[in-house]
């Protein structure tokens, strides 16, 4: 295991805890609000994260990338999105904590990857979507600075050898938003990462 992926299950849980805090702040009338992910309202964004956790569990249990894509938009929230999310996090963390899971080759939709790299992608996705959710429901948007620094420092390893990455403008962007351009030098590390991930942290409209 490379240094980049040390404590990756711990980082996944840390990222998920941040998402959970934001999720618990969603008010009843906000589920239909638009999010920075243009195709998703708040409920669809949360479902994407919960379904993603469950699909990663399926992969580590021997599932295929084709099955992953087929299940990608299936509702996983039911009538209790918070409980659905917390259960998905516990299940995913347990699955990747199983001996050998982090070294196991998974049939990820973007190609064969080791479990540790797949979970790093999952952790990054959850972190960025925490900001998306916070922006959509007007709550605190500051991400865990340690996670932001880790993602920023290891983007190359996290997305190594994948045919599509969130920071490359020449790929299809079926899975990740296209990066934005930013010429400012005085932006925070979080804002710089958000721009790389296709977000506009300076636009506050819904």
């Amino acid at each position: 295991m490379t240094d980049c992926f040390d404590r990756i299950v711990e980082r996944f849980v840390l990222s998920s805890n941040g998402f959970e805090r934001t999720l618990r702040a969603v008010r009843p009338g906000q589920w239909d609000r638009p999010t920075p992910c243009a195709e998703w309202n708040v409920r669809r964004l949360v479902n994407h994260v919960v379904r993603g956790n469950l699909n990663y569990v399926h992969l580590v249990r021997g599932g295929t990338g084709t099955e992953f894509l087929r299940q990608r938009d299936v509702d996983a929230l039911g009538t209790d999105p918070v409980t659905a999310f917390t259960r998905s996090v516990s299940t995913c963390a347990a699955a990747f904590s199983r001996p050998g899971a982090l070294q196991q080759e998974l049939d990820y939709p973007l190609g064969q990857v080791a479990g540790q790299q797949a979970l790093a992608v999952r952790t990054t996705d959850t972190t960025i979507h925490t900001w998306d959710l916070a922006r959509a429901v007007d709550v605190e948007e500051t991400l865990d600075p340690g996670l932001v620094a880790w993602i920023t420092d290891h983007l190359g390893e996290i997305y190594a050898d994948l045919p599509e990455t969130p920071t490359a403008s020449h790929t299809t962007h079926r899975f990740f938003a296209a990066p934005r351009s930013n010429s400012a030098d005085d932006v925070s590390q979080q804002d710089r990462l958000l721009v790389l991930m296709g977000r506009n942290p300076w636009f506050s409209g819904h």
Side-chain angles (χ1 to χ4, degrees), residues 179-194:
R180 293 176 176 269
S181 60
N182 174 55
S183 57
D185 296 323
D186 58 347
V187 300
S188 67
Q189 187 174 49
Q190 174 173 307
D191 285 349
R192 189 172 294 109
L193 176 62
L194 289 169

Side-chain angles (χ1 to χ4, degrees), residues 166-185:
T167 59
S169 59
H170 61 276
T171 55
T172 62
H173 296 287
R174 293 184 304 128
F175 295 91
F176 307 111
R180 293 176 176 269
S181 60
N182 174 55
S183 57
D185 296 323

